[in-house]
Amino acid sequence: MKLYRTLDPSDVDLSFAGRLHDANASLGGIERLRTEDALLLVLRGDRWLLTDRQGTAVFCLAKKFAPPAGANFLHGSVHAISMRVREDSAEEYHGYLRRETWSVVLPEPVFEPVLAPLALESPAETPTTAGVGKSRNGTADLRRTTVLS
């Protein structure tokens, strides 16, 4: 069973690209994206990012985002790309913005549940849990990613 999760704007850091300086590689990565392009989900520090196949961050997920507990990231793609303008942001954030308009990528990550073994004789790793840890908030640590075309 696959878990498709279309994220809405509240799940995405809407001002991510608006805060980037002109030479930032992420701006070029965002410009090259098209709908259905493959994405990777990675945890950098305490924030979840989606990157293109080259590992360039193309957006940051909102602080409230958490992957489904007990699931592995299977693959992701670009669901939509929208435009945002400075006036869309609250005035108190305008000082952080470096551009008047920018693109916002909305992803569709796909997860698959980790099947728990029927009985565990010891807390040792099993093939279904190997490499899946727990993050600070108790959700599955999904740093291992796979892109499926």
Side-chain angles (χ1 to χ4, degrees):
M1 176 173 84
K2 293 181 182 177
L3 304 171
Y4 291 85
R5 186 162 176 202
T6 301
L7 303 180
D8 63 47
S10 71
D11 293 314
V12 179
D13 178 350
L14 295 171
S15 297
F16 171 72
R19 294 189 307 270
L20 301 176
H21 58 81
D22 290 337
N24 192 295
S26 292
L27 292 174
I30 293 166
E31 289 301 314
R32 287 187 296 274
L33 286 178
R34 301 293 176 257
T35 57
E36 303 300 319
D37 280 357
L39 297 171
L40 299 171
L41 178 66
V42 296
L43 181 62
R44 290 191 186 157
D46 63 348
R47 297 295 298 264
W48 289 100
L49 303 171
L50 281 132
T51 69
D52 60 17
R53 287 179 182 241
Q54 291 74 40
T56 303
V58 293
F59 60 91
C60 186
L61 295 166
K63 289 179 184 177
K64 73 172 192 128
F65 174 80
N72 285 322
F73 177 70
L74 187 58
H75 61 90
S77 63
V78 175
H79 178 70
I81 301 171
S82 66
M83 291 301 295
R84 191 155 171 92
V85 297
R86 178 181 290 270
E87 291 77 30
D88 292 337
S89 298
E91 194 169 324
E92 68 244 30
Y93 300 113
H94 286 194
Y96 300 104
L97 299 175
R98 297 181 178 199
R99 57 196 74 264
E100 296 299 315
T101 63
W102 61 92
S103 297
V104 176
V105 178
L106 294 176
E108 182 180 56
V110 180
F111 301 89
E112 71 179 347
V114 174
L115 300 176
L118 295 176
L120 289 177
E121 294 181 15
S122 72
E125 282 193 348
T126 66
T128 58
T129 60
V132 178
K134 294 288 183 185
S135 68
R136 287 180 289 164
N137 65 0
T139 61
D141 183 351
L142 308 173
R143 283 177 264 187
R144 290 182 4 171
T145 59
T146 304
V147 177
L148 301 178
S149 301

